[in-house]
Amino acid sequence: MSKKTKQKVRPQARKISQTTAVNQKTPDAARKKSGTVSFFQDHWRQLSVISILAFGLYVESVRFNYVLDDSILIVENKFTQKGIKGIGDIFRYESFRGYFGEQKDLVEGGRYRPLTIATFALEKSITGDKPSVSHLINVLFYIFTGILLYRVLLFMFPRARSALSESWFFSVPFVATVLFIVHPLHIEVVGNVKGRDELFAFLGEIGGLYFTFKYLEQKKLKQLVYSFLCFFIGIL
C-alpha cells in the first residue's frame, strides 16, 4: 500500500473512532436524562391532572379556621405558641404536654408526633396565627403526596412507564393515583390542619419505598440512606 493510500485511510479511521466514541457516550447521556427532569418532562400531563384535582378539591379549605384537634396542637398549645423557641420542648415531651401542662395517659404509650407540631411552631414565628397559611401548606403537601405515589406506582408497574402512549390515562399508576386523590376519606386529613401528621407519616412511608426502588435500580448506597431518613421522618 502506498503512503498516500495510508494517509487517506488514517483520517477515515479517526472519524470512525470518533463516531464510535460519540455513540458510546449516548447511553450515558440517556441515563442522565432519565432522572427527575425526564420524569417531569415525560409525565407532565399526568402530573398536571393530579395536581389540579388535588388543588381544586381542597383549595376551599384555605378559607377555613382552626377546628377540632387544632386547638390542642396549635391554638392552645403553649409550646407551639412559643414559635421556634418551643421546638425544643416539642421534641422533648409527649404531643399533648403543651396543651395539658403535664403528662396525660390518654392513650397507651402516649402520642409522640413532634415533627408536625414543630412545623406549626415554625409557622407561628413566620406568619403568626394565620390558619389560611396552614391550610394552604396542607394542600401543597397533599399534591406532593399524589405526585410521589404516582412515581412509586410507576416502579411497581414498569410497563406503564411508556407514558407518551395515547392510552396513558388508562394506566394503572395514573388511575390509582386519581382515585387516591379524589377519595373522600382524605377530607379530614387535608381539611384539618392537625391532619398534617397523617400526611407526613404517609409521605415518609412512600418516600422510603421510592428510594428503595431507586436502590434496586441504581445499586447506590445513598439511596438506602435516603430511604432510612424518609422512614424516620414518617415515624416522627
Side-chain angles (χ1 to χ4, degrees):
M1 186 180 293
S2 65
K3 292 183 179 180
K4 292 183 179 180
T5 306
K6 290 181 179 178
Q7 290 174 353
K8 290 180 180 180
V9 171
R10 284 173 183 170
Q12 291 177 352
R14 289 194 196 98
K15 289 181 180 179
I16 293 172
S17 62
Q18 290 173 356
T19 304
T20 304
V22 171
N23 291 335
Q24 288 176 348
K25 291 180 181 179
T26 302
D28 294 333
R31 287 192 203 100
K32 290 180 180 179
K33 189 181 177 182
S34 64
T36 304
V37 175
S38 178
F39 167 69
F40 282 98
Q41 288 177 345
D42 295 342
H43 300 266
W44 66 269
R45 292 172 296 184
Q46 294 90 323
L47 299 180
S48 297
V49 173
I50 292 167
S51 301
I52 291 172
L53 272 177
F55 186 80
L57 285 170
Y58 290 102
V59 67
E60 182 69 15
S61 65
V62 174
R63 299 172 54 191
F64 298 166
N65 206 332
Y66 294 119
V67 295
L68 302 175
D69 292 340
D70 294 341
S71 296
I72 298 176
L73 299 181
I74 304 172
V75 181
E76 299 179 33
N77 189 299
K78 64 179 182 180
F79 297 154
T80 305
Q81 291 302 310
K82 289 180 181 178
I84 295 177
K85 294 181 180 179
I87 291 180
D89 290 328
I90 289 171
F91 277 89
R92 188 177 297 115
Y93 298 111
E94 191 254 4
S95 295
F96 289 169
R97 179 75 172 264
Y99 176 75
F100 290 108
E102 59 182 352
Q103 180 67 40
K104 293 281 188 178
D105 297 325
L106 301 179
V107 293
E108 187 68 26
R111 290 181 179 177
Y112 185 69
R113 302 175 182 178
L115 187 59
T116 47
I117 305 176
T119 65
F120 300 148
L122 186 61
E123 290 170 32
K124 169 67 178 179
S125 291
I126 297 175
T127 64
D129 289 317
K130 292 185 178 180
S132 58
V133 175
S134 299
H135 282 295
L136 179 60
I137 291 173
N138 271 24
V139 174
L140 295 178
F141 272 120
Y142 191 59
I143 293 173
F144 181 60
T145 298
I147 293 173
L148 189 57
L149 175 63
Y150 176 71
R151 185 69 181 94
V152 168
L153 289 174
L154 285 178
F155 280 116
M156 300 177 70
F157 298 90
R159 292 182 63 183
R161 291 192 187 185
S162 56
L164 301 179
S165 64
E166 295 181 357
S167 59
W168 58 268
F169 42 84
F170 286 128
S171 67
V172 172
F174 178 72
V175 173
T177 304
V178 168
L179 289 175
F180 173 86
I181 289 295
V182 302
H183 201 291
L185 185 65
H186 303 147
I187 290 176
E188 183 179 349
V189 174
V190 186
N192 183 8
V193 178
K194 178 266 174 192
R196 192 179 302 172
D197 54 5
E198 305 291 346
L199 286 170
F200 275 22
F202 183 75
L203 280 172
E205 294 168 4
I206 205 74
L209 189 58
Y210 167 76
F211 285 113
T212 300
F213 279 124
K214 292 286 285 186
Y215 170 76
L216 295 175
E217 188 178 70
Q218 300 178 0
K219 302 299 182 183
K220 293 182 179 179
L221 183 60
K222 66 179 182 179
Q223 306 295 354
L224 288 182
V225 176
Y226 295 153
S227 178
F228 167 78
L229 290 175
C230 286
F231 185 72
F232 183 66
I233 287 173
I235 292 176
L236 291 179

